[in-house]
Amino acid sequence: MKVIIVGGVAGGATTATRLRRLDEKAEIIMIDRGNHISFANCGLPYYVGDVIKRKEDLLLQTPESFNKRFNIDVRIRQEVIEIKPEEKKVLIKKVDSGEEYEESYDKLVLSPGAEPINPFKNLKSKRIKTLRTVEDSIEIKEYIRNNNIRDVTIIGGGYIGVEMAENLINYPNLSITIVQKGSHLINPIDEDMACFVHRELDKNGVKLILNNSVNEIKETEEKLEIVLENKTIETDFVVLCIGVRAEITLAINSGLKIGEKGILVDEYMQTSNKDIYALGDAVMVKNSITENIGYTPLAGPANRQARIVANNIVGKTSSYEGTIGSSILKIFKYSLAITGLNERMCRVNNINYKTIIISQNSHAGYYPNAKLITIKTLYNDANGEILGAQVWGKEGVDKICDILATAIKMKMTAYDLEKLELCYAPPFSSAKSPVNILGNAIVNQIEGLVDTITWQKTEELKDKEGCCVLDVRTSEEYEKGKCEKSMHIPLDEIRNRIKELDKSKEYLVYCRTGLRSYIACRILKQNGFKVKNITGGYYLYSVINSKK
């Protein structure tokens, strides 16, 4: 059997090595038009920021090492320019010489990846760069250092944009601005959780321009002028992080079925041609929760798809069950982890959902240096099934989100979260893990022990007659900061001062994180009062309002 793999990095290289482990006698040819067959593209921003010191550390394999260990014919700086499905041949062009030749195949694997979106290609300027390859990262690094650059503007506030901002802000005397078309950075999260990201970037000197799309970039003798919707700004250098577009030209020209954003494949990663497979950033796959076909260019799914492709090529039937979009991002001293659906996705797909936000210590509070973790979870109000989560904090974020990702994949409910037996010792967690507490909190809502309300809805209601915001924190906490127009009764005084409250009103109750306010709600509800617990507490309120 002869297999040709188009493209390396996560998808192509993993397919090749899995295939070799399954079939020692297969002829495997891997073709890539770049200089490197396997490199850590997720590490490129950290190389720009000198966190990763040596370029060589990004190179996972060389053509020579690949061939020596796996007996794979690796051909770099060569490009497949045409597929001839009827003949089961590809036309290959050598990048340096322009020489063309044909190669036959039994099975063909397309792993061309995705290219950064650049709407300003007509402006040929060394001051505008995208980030995709090792060479791109070297050019960005060297240009900033060698050309007295003092101001860098990052267009696009997704994962790569935020990572670039974090890494470039450490350059001496360099000012960093992120321009984002939407109302918040990191599109997969909700606006309330994005406030944590905005605050941390602001604290570290990164400027944000939100709700502004870029209409044009002009180059003058010394500067770039960025024409936004409502103003023009000047900068020395631009890094485009708008997003990526699947490399599908080859597939289109070959007559393969194409979706809105990528190549269409079945559950076996097989294209509309039974002898051609595709994977990674080039394909569209099913979302495990909505079951809709979408585009999720992440390294984790690409690696899993590669294993499935190799299995199916040798007749070991395997299927890809879809993705839930689990990811994590370092933002200075904090981490942001995401899995499953956000509120927008639930609304678009008409999914019945509710949200809850809790904040818990990363480990036992009496053990030194516990850090607060904030968890926003979306769940089905009918059965408690977990739909999505966004987790923010300084430690333990990956652990919490991985548990919730597993819960989503296995269609677990809040009742299942309550029952999980997770590791505990004071330096690592609490006897009741934040995940257990999350389950408790959701079950409390489902079973009617408490109803919750968001700060957004609270802001809409607090000035209306019949509504009152009640702060149940201590007097010391209240004096340091409070929600406007809130009345104050500390939790421990609620029972003795209950006559000060009016049963004709609805009380929207908050404490620092939501636990004490839940206790207050239980006291008041059992005494005949209408109450709602404000999810996220004053901690979230202070973050949301930190720039107001």
Side-chain angles (χ1 to χ4, degrees):
M1 180 171 56
K2 183 177 179 180
V3 181
I4 293 179
I5 300 170
V6 182
V9 196
T14 303
T15 302
T17 54
R18 171 66 174 173
L19 193 56
R20 173 56 73 220
R21 291 192 293 273
L22 294 175
D23 188 344
E24 180 61 24
K25 297 188 182 303
E27 181 182 356
I28 306 170
I29 302 172
M30 186 159 50
I31 299 169
D32 196 290
R33 69 187 177 202
N35 295 320
H36 309 289
I37 196 66
S38 181
F39 67 92
N41 50 359
C42 294
L44 296 180
Y46 300 100
Y47 175 67
V48 172
D50 267 348
V51 177
I52 298 171
K53 301 291 185 184
R54 303 184 318 131
K55 176 188 73 174
E56 291 73 21
D57 292 335
L58 294 169
L59 306 180
L60 306 178
Q61 290 279 359
T62 65
E64 294 75 21
S65 66
F66 231 66
N67 182 267
K68 186 175 181 180
R69 177 166 295 181
F70 297 106
N71 188 27
I72 292 168
D73 181 357
V74 177
R75 304 176 189 179
I76 60 172
R77 299 197 60 75
Q78 298 191 28
E79 182 178 6
V80 174
I81 58 175
E82 184 183 352
I83 302 172
K84 301 177 181 181
E86 298 81 9
E87 302 174 45
K88 295 182 72 170
K89 290 181 179 179
V90 293
L91 181 62
I92 303 167
K93 180 180 179 179
K94 295 182 178 180
V95 173
D96 296 325
S97 67
E99 176 190 346
E100 296 179 3
Y101 66 97
E102 285 187 342
E103 196 75 64
S104 64
Y105 64 84
D106 294 309
K107 300 294 181 183
L108 180 65
V109 179
L110 300 181
S111 180
E115 62 176 343
I117 295 171
N118 181 0
F120 310 104
K121 284 184 177 179
N122 292 335
L123 184 58
K124 306 294 184 183
S125 174
K126 292 183 178 179
R127 295 174 176 267
I128 303 175
K129 284 292 297 180
T130 57
L131 182 65
R132 183 186 188 186
T133 66
V134 175
E135 288 73 24
D136 290 337
S137 64
I138 294 171
E139 288 175 18
I140 291 171
K141 198 171 185 177
E142 290 182 350
Y143 194 90
I144 291 174
R145 287 182 169 173
N146 298 335
N147 290 276
N148 195 33
I149 301 299
R150 290 289 174 264
D151 185 280
V152 173
T153 298
I154 297 166
I155 299 177
Y159 297 102
I160 301 298
V162 171
E163 286 175 343
M164 285 298 292
E166 178 190 356
N167 281 281
L168 288 173
I169 200 70
N170 293 322
Y171 280 53
N173 304 313
L174 192 60
S175 173
I176 307 297
T177 301
I178 298 177
V179 177
Q180 173 76 340
K181 182 178 181 179
S183 62
H184 68 271
L185 305 182
I186 316 295
N187 283 333
I189 63 174
D190 296 316
E191 195 151 358
D192 47 8
M193 293 299 286
C195 292
F196 289 100
V197 178
H198 298 174
R199 184 181 69 166
E200 185 63 12
L201 289 167
D202 180 68
K203 280 169 55 180
N204 285 277
V206 178
K207 302 169 194 169
L208 302 182
I209 300 177
L210 304 174
N211 291 306
N212 249 302
S213 60
V214 178
N215 294 331
E216 187 182 3
I217 300 178
K218 302 176 183 177
E219 186 168 25
T220 65
E221 189 174 333
E222 295 183 352
K223 292 277 187 178
L224 291 170
E225 289 184 354
I226 303 175
V227 182
L228 304 175
E229 287 182 6
N230 53 21
K231 63 179 175 179
T232 298
I233 61 173
E234 286 190 336
T235 191
D236 295 325
F237 191 79
V238 165
V239 183
L240 295 176
C241 300
I242 299 171
V244 296
R245 182 185 293 113
E247 291 248 22
I248 55 176
T249 302
L250 193 60
I252 292 172
N253 294 340
S254 306
L256 300 180
K257 287 186 179 178
I258 305 296
E260 182 184 358
K261 292 187 176 181
I263 303 168
L264 291 176
V265 293
D266 63 15
E267 60 187 306
Y268 309 111
M269 305 309 298
Q270 200 169 41
T271 69
S272 52
N273 184 302
K274 66 181 180 62
D275 294 314
I276 303 176
Y277 294 81
L279 69 150
D281 293 357
V283 303
M284 297 184 70
V285 293
K286 181 180 72 174
N287 182 290
S288 300
I289 309 168
T290 67
E291 297 195 347
N292 293 332
I293 302 298
Y295 186 60
T296 309
L298 293 170
N303 275 279
R304 293 195 300 280
Q305 292 161 13
R307 185 179 178 90
I308 289 165
V309 168
N311 287 352
N312 287 316
I313 286 175
V314 300
K316 183 181 171 66
T317 304
S318 299
S319 60
Y320 186 67
E321 296 179 353
T323 184
I324 58 174
S326 300
S327 57
I328 191 165
L329 179 67
K330 177 182 175 296
I331 306 172
F332 295 100
K333 294 181 179 179
Y334 285 84
S335 299
L336 169 70
I338 308 160
T339 190
L341 305 182
N342 57 31
E343 291 199 56
R344 178 187 58 79
M345 294 170 73
C346 285
R347 290 192 294 267
V348 167
N349 289 282
N350 295 314
I351 293 174
N352 172 48
Y353 79 98
K354 286 194 75 171
T355 68
I356 191 167
I357 299 175
I358 68 167
S359 294
Q360 293 290 318
N361 282 329
S362 56
H363 59 248
Y366 59 82
Y367 188 88
N369 300 317
K371 305 292 192 302
L372 209 60
I373 299 177
T374 298
I375 309 167
K376 176 174 184 175
T377 305
L378 288 75
Y379 65 95
N380 187 318
D381 191 33
N383 59 14
E385 185 176 326
I386 307 303
L387 301 172
Q390 300 153 37
V391 188
W392 173 265
K394 286 187 175 180
E395 68 175 42
V397 169
D398 53 343
K399 174 173 68 175
I400 298 299
C401 198
D402 281 343
I403 296 170
L404 295 175
T406 304
I408 293 169
K409 187 69 176 175
M410 304 308 295
K411 299 190 180 301
M412 294 169 65
T413 70
Y415 295 94
D416 296 315
L417 298 187
E418 287 188 305
K419 300 171 187 174
L420 287 178
E421 184 176 334
L422 302 170
C423 295
Y424 162 64
F428 303 103
S429 186
S430 298
K432 274 179 36 175
S433 161
V435 175
N436 298 135
I437 293 171
L438 174 65
N440 297 157
I442 295 174
V443 169
N444 287 341
Q445 287 190 185
I446 292 173
E447 296 185 346
L449 291 179
V450 67
D451 195 8
T452 60
I453 187 170
T454 64
W455 276 112
Q456 181 183 23
K457 193 67 177 175
T458 299
E459 289 294 319
E460 295 173 11
L461 295 177
K462 71 179 184 181
D463 293 326
K464 292 186 177 180
E465 189 175 349
C467 269
C468 182
V469 177
L470 175 62
D471 186 327
V472 297
R473 297 174 299 155
T474 66
S475 297
E476 290 79 9
E477 289 174 295
Y478 186 75
E479 290 303 318
K480 289 178 181 178
K482 54 187 176 291
C483 170
E484 292 180 7
K485 300 181 181 179
S486 60
M487 70 177 295
H488 176 235
I489 301 177
L491 171 62
D492 293 342
E493 299 176 20
I494 284 279
R495 290 184 180 88
N496 294 331
R497 297 174 59 182
I498 206 164
K499 292 182 179 179
E500 297 177 27
L501 302 178
D502 183 348
K503 287 189 177 179
S504 68
K505 292 185 176 182
E506 181 176 44
Y507 289 93
L508 312 179
V509 190
Y510 74 91
C511 63
R512 183 175 180 240
T513 61
L515 175 58
R516 285 174 289 171
S517 51
Y518 164 67
I519 296 170
C521 284
R522 290 301 302 148
I523 294 170
L524 294 174
K525 186 171 184 176
Q526 292 177 85
N527 278 278
F529 290 89
K530 294 176 289 185
V531 291
K532 287 182 179 172
N533 191 10
I534 303 177
T535 189
Y538 186 76
Y539 178 56
L540 179 61
Y541 176 86
S542 64
V543 173
I544 292 172
N545 291 278
S546 61
K547 293 292 288 180
K548 293 181 180 179

